[in-house]
Amino acid sequence: MRPIKKLIFLFIVWGIYTPVTLYAYTERNLLQNQISESELKSTLLLNQSWVTYPAYEERQKWDIFLGEYKDSLIHYGEQLLNYQWKTIPATAYLEFERSGDREIMETPFGENNNALMTFMLAELAEGKGRFTDQLINGVFHSCEMTSWALAAHLITQPTHRALPTPEYQLIDLTAGDLGGLLSWIYYFMHKEFDKIDPEISRRLQHELETRIMEPYLNNDNFWWMAINYKGQMVNNWNPWCNSNALMTFMLMENNVDKLSQAVWKSMQSVDKYLNYVHADGACEEGPSYWGHAAGKALDYLCLLKRITGGRIDTFHEPQIRAMGEYISRSYVGNGWVVNFADASAKGEADASLIYRYGCAVSSPEMKQFASNLAKSKKLSFNGRDIFRSLEAISVNEALKQETTSNQKPDYTWYPDTEVYFQKTKHAFFASKGGYNDESHNHNDIGTFSLWIDNTPFIIDAGVGTYTKQTFSNERYSIWTMQSDFHNLPKINGASQQYGKQFKASRIQASPKHFSLDISTAYPPEAGVKEWIRDYKLNEHTLIITDKFRLTEIKGTNIIHFLTQGKIQIEKDFVKINNNNTEIFLYFDPQAFEVSQDEITLTDKRLSNVWGKRIFRLVFKAKERTLQGKYLFKIKYQ
């Protein structure tokens, strides 16, 4: 097989080229059930009458709207006045195929887009035209690019190569983001551009129609749309791309027939995502993706509500509220979050986004959680999402006045997604069932994490920097994806396997108790009939019990625990010290030989969270038996 053909397997976790049968999918169709296609047209607000921000020339209103942020936005723009727009050579795209390096193309592209955003906000803040020339430079620079998509995503174009082709305009995450940003630039600045040269606005409008609007209406084959749904995975790409496409149409299209067609198509597509997300609202991609998954769903639903004059409103739906509150439930404290799948254990939660979501669904829990976060962070304008930045400014004063407290419950169980959270005075415990074919999947059925006083002890390493290997048929050769590097057993010498059929069973969940049979997450060669992993949590102890029955003896049972901290192995316990806090992991010395592996972290995405190394405790069973029980007790203050 030629190397390029292997790239066809890329994005296996995103459902591209490799259809995945869902573990569960419910045709709720929350959006389409609110209104018919024929009724939709009469609700649409035309000529951008839905926009809530001042027009560019309304200087006093901008002063009031921006308030304390006006001077800093101008300052950011001043710092970039001499910005040199980055050219992305063809070899930067080809490098993804050659070495798997994404950053060589993505970094300069991102810097250009961030500069565009900075100049737009600075010009809105000052209103004197000082940043307009650089805006024009950035607009034309973007218009001259062959594609607004990333090299890592361009392989889904018909050529299956990383170099963009002008005949096929791919809408991916960044193409959508840039389309949304340029649409706002057109909306705010086209009159000012016309004073300089009408060609600027004409060209910008042409490119937005060619790159976003026409492909969106005419191409049903973008995998994230899920229009031709055949059981493939639907993840954060769906609301992310749809929210940007909808925003572009709302800002650029005033033909009611075309606008209605685009809005209806977006509703059909986003319904596929809302149908895929379980009714319990958990984000199977983890908290790191919440802002791009549920958060982008919020952006989309807000835009949809505005363009229909409030006629379509789903914020009263229990699922939509639960999707929002997942971010507050999965927050441990001190910046730590539950990080199943490709999520990072350190979360950079967006307080303004969470507050907006809390207001939309009337969740005191989310609003107060956002207030807690906002006390330690300043409003950020990084990135290319001008809509979120303006929305953040619009709620800033209300967020400042919000009560600071924590109303989330001690116990949360997501029965559909099979994610479990339990907190006590000192401990936060998380575990999961599910299946090994979830979005951004790791083979991790039955794993757990444990924090004591907001300090991580038993951990999930997370994921390293994305390369072409990450989303390919080689994904599970990466150590962070394997069950042997989660807090799980190796059974009869076999590890968990990838696939929808490898899942949890016989789950029991209640406050301070969670158990499941993980034998069904292992392949036939494991020779396991039953493996009940049982967790019991009280104020000072976590008890972990593995009760098993094998059909034959083929190898050795090994129990793994990943940890951060200084390890001291004694006769019948392991002491772990992290950040001057200690836990004691007790075990039966008659049952196990204990050792530790040091895992050096050379990937910055991992080392930025954990430091230079983490450790894996290896408990190797001394006896091989067809049935038995292993007991571990983790004690803490």
Side-chain angles (χ1 to χ4, degrees):
M1 181 181 292
R2 291 173 57 210
I4 191 59
K5 293 298 183 182
K6 293 182 181 179
L7 292 177
I8 294 177
F9 293 100
L10 216 65
F11 309 109
I12 202 169
V13 179
W14 289 337
I16 303 176
Y17 292 115
T18 308
V20 175
T21 302
L22 292 182
Y23 187 66
Y25 182 87
T26 304
E27 290 282 351
R28 291 180 288 267
N29 293 336
L30 298 179
L31 302 178
Q32 295 168 80
N33 286 337
Q34 289 210 13
I35 195 171
S36 68
E37 185 176 6
S38 59
E39 293 172 324
L40 176 64
K41 188 183 299 186
S42 64
T43 72
L44 299 179
L45 302 182
L46 299 178
N47 301 311
Q48 292 69 55
S49 59
W50 57 270
V51 176
T52 58
Y53 317 123
Y56 169 75
E57 62 272 14
E58 295 178 309
R59 303 318 314 159
Q60 187 175 2
K61 289 183 178 180
W62 274 111
D63 289 346
I64 295 170
F65 180 80
L66 295 176
E68 64 184 288
Y69 298 109
K70 175 181 176 178
D71 291 342
S72 59
L73 291 175
I74 294 172
H75 175 67
Y76 295 150
E78 288 174 333
Q79 289 182 313
L80 285 180
L81 269 173
N82 295 319
Y83 181 76
Q84 298 297 309
W85 297 91
K86 308 292 193 303
T87 299
I88 306 170
T91 51
Y93 288 85
L94 292 173
E95 190 60 33
F96 177 72
E97 294 183 19
R98 292 169 174 172
S99 70
D101 187 338
R102 297 170 59 129
E103 294 184 2
I104 193 170
M105 179 268 159
E106 294 179 13
T107 297
F109 186 42
E111 290 174 355
N112 286 342
N113 296 338
N114 291 348
L116 259 178
M117 165 95 156
T118 301
F119 289 131
M120 184 69 263
L121 290 175
E123 187 56 39
L124 291 175
E126 188 177 71
K128 297 179 180 179
R130 190 155 57 117
F131 305 100
T132 303
D133 278 357
Q134 276 288 42
L135 266 177
I136 295 169
N137 287 335
V139 164
F140 255 73
H141 187 89
S142 299
C143 289
E144 290 295 329
M145 296 182 70
T146 304
S147 172
W148 294 340
L150 298 182
H153 303 159
L154 281 164
I155 62 152
T156 63
Q157 64 188 346
T159 64
H160 303 319
R161 301 300 302 268
L163 273 177
T165 61
E167 296 83 9
Y168 187 89
Q169 287 300 325
L170 176 70
I171 303 177
D172 74 337
L173 303 177
T174 50
D177 279 354
L178 186 51
L181 173 56
L182 289 170
S183 297
W184 280 109
I185 291 174
Y186 180 90
Y187 170 78
F188 285 123
M189 299 300 296
H190 73 272
K191 292 179 182 178
E192 299 302 310
F193 289 164
D194 288 348
K195 294 175 184 177
I196 300 170
D197 187 336
E199 180 60 23
I200 304 165
S201 298
R202 191 206 68 79
R203 177 67 184 279
L204 181 51
Q205 185 175 31
H206 170 77
E207 297 300 334
L208 287 166
E209 288 178 353
T210 302
R211 297 169 187 265
I212 303 297
M213 298 165 73
E214 290 178 4
Y216 187 84
L217 286 179
N218 299 323
N219 188 349
D220 291 345
N221 294 319
F222 295 128
W223 71 270
W224 51 264
M225 276 187 176
I227 294 295
N228 301 315
Y229 180 78
K230 295 180 181 178
Q232 74 270 25
M233 189 175 294
V234 190
N235 68 359
N236 68 83
W237 277 59
N238 179 283
W240 192 342
C241 292
N242 276 300
S243 63
N244 279 315
L246 177 62
M247 190 155 50
T248 298
F249 276 97
M250 288 169 63
L251 290 165
M252 302 299 299
E253 185 58 76
N254 286 307
N255 178 293
V256 69
D257 292 325
K258 274 193 175 182
L259 182 60
S260 178
Q261 183 184 356
V263 174
W264 183 254
K265 186 171 186 178
S266 75
M267 291 168 58
Q268 291 177 295
S269 180
V270 174
D271 263 338
K272 301 296 186 183
Y273 172 73
L274 296 177
N275 292 342
Y276 178 83
V277 173
H278 292 295
D280 62 22
C283 182
E284 69 178 26
E285 299 172 86
S288 295
Y289 282 88
W290 181 89
H292 307 311
K296 283 297 182 182
L298 169 71
D299 291 341
Y300 173 85
L301 296 173
C302 284
L303 289 165
L304 184 63
K305 183 177 179 179
R306 291 180 191 182
I307 194 63
T308 60
R311 174 65 174 80
I312 301 179
D313 183 353
T314 58
F315 292 119
H316 62 282
E317 296 285 350
Q319 177 191 348
I320 304 301
R321 176 168 176 158
M323 287 168 61
E325 290 180 340
Y326 178 83
I327 194 62
S328 52
R329 304 290 173 91
S330 59
Y331 184 76
V332 177
N334 197 29
W336 296 102
V337 298
V338 179
N339 64 312
F340 298 131
D342 274 356
S344 170
K346 274 288 188 181
E348 293 295 331
D350 184 335
S352 300
L353 176 63
I354 295 168
Y355 184 75
R356 286 176 50 219
Y357 205 127
C359 291
V361 299
S362 301
S363 170
E365 174 185 326
M366 292 191 73
K367 291 191 288 184
Q368 291 169 13
F369 174 55
S371 179
N372 290 340
L373 294 173
K375 300 303 179 185
S376 59
K377 294 182 179 180
K378 295 182 180 179
L379 195 62
S380 173
F381 300 100
N382 295 325
R384 54 186 179 259
D385 197 331
I386 193 169
F387 177 69
R388 277 201 182 169
S389 294
L390 293 174
E391 289 295 286
I393 293 170
S394 71
V395 301
N396 182 57
E397 289 303 317
L399 177 55
K400 285 182 179 179
Q401 302 303 317
E402 182 63 45
T403 303
T404 300
S405 66
N406 188 349
Q407 289 193 5
K408 72 178 180 181
D410 292 342
Y411 163 68
T412 302
W413 166 236
Y414 294 96
D416 303 317
T417 317
E418 299 177 355
V419 169
Y420 178 100
F421 302 146
Q422 177 72 60
K423 66 185 183 73
T424 65
K425 182 178 180 180
H426 294 286
F428 191 109
F429 170 83
S431 187
K432 72 182 295 292
Y435 62 109
N436 282 335
D437 195 8
E438 297 165 338
S439 184
H440 293 271
N441 182 73
H442 291 199
N443 290 340
D444 61 356
I445 304 307
T447 192
F448 76 102
S449 299
L450 179 68
W451 296 260
I452 305 300
D453 293 331
N454 297 331
T455 299
F457 278 93
I458 307 299
I459 67 172
D460 187 313
V463 67
T465 302
Y466 285 167
T467 68
K468 71 176 182 181
Q469 184 186 20
T470 310
F471 298 107
S472 75
N473 59 337
E474 298 178 357
R475 178 178 177 87
Y476 295 96
S477 66
I478 302 171
W479 67 269
T480 56
M481 314 294 181
Q482 301 168 13
S483 62
D484 289 351
F485 292 89
H486 289 79
N487 305 306
L488 290 166
K490 191 182 191 78
I491 301 175
N492 244 341
S495 307
Q496 287 191 15
Q497 194 161 319
Y498 165 76
K500 68 180 179 61
Q501 69 272 35
F502 300 105
K503 58 187 180 179
S505 61
R506 300 168 62 187
I507 294 180
Q508 296 183 13
S510 61
K512 299 184 179 181
H513 179 229
F514 180 60
S515 70
L516 69 172
D517 188 346
I518 63 174
S519 65
T520 42
Y522 290 78
E525 53 264 31
V528 56
K529 186 174 183 179
E530 175 185 76
W531 194 293
I532 304 297
R533 169 61 66 93
D534 185 278
Y535 300 102
K536 288 187 175 66
L537 183 74
N538 61 42
E539 196 59 55
H540 300 290
T541 308
L542 171 65
I543 301 173
I544 306 160
T545 306
D546 282 330
K547 184 179 179 181
F548 63 89
R549 287 189 296 154
L550 307 178
T551 58
E552 58 181 321
I553 297 175
K554 302 173 66 176
T556 302
N557 295 334
I558 300 173
I559 312 297
H560 298 115
F561 297 108
L562 258 65
T563 185
Q564 183 191 39
K566 184 178 179 181
I567 294 175
Q568 181 178 333
I569 299 176
E570 301 291 347
K571 180 180 178 181
D572 63 348
F573 69 88
V574 178
K575 183 172 74 172
I576 306 172
N577 185 298
N578 193 11
N579 197 27
N580 295 320
T581 300
E582 292 181 338
I583 68 169
F584 298 86
L585 195 166
Y586 289 88
F587 63 94
D588 181 358
Q590 302 298 317
F592 295 107
E593 297 176 357
V594 186
S595 62
Q596 70 178 62
D597 298 329
E598 181 177 311
I599 303 172
T600 302
L601 302 178
T602 57
D603 189 304
K604 288 185 178 180
R605 188 168 178 179
L606 295 171
S607 61
N608 286 343
V609 175
W610 305 114
K612 295 180 179 179
R613 61 187 61 83
I614 57 176
F615 299 91
R616 181 174 67 164
L617 288 168
V618 180
F619 292 82
K620 185 177 181 180
K622 293 181 176 179
E623 295 185 11
R624 298 184 180 185
T625 60
L626 286 173
Q627 61 182 17
K629 182 170 72 173
Y630 303 141
L631 179 67
F632 300 90
K633 292 183 180 180
I634 299 177
K635 295 189 176 182
Y636 42 86
Q637 295 298 320

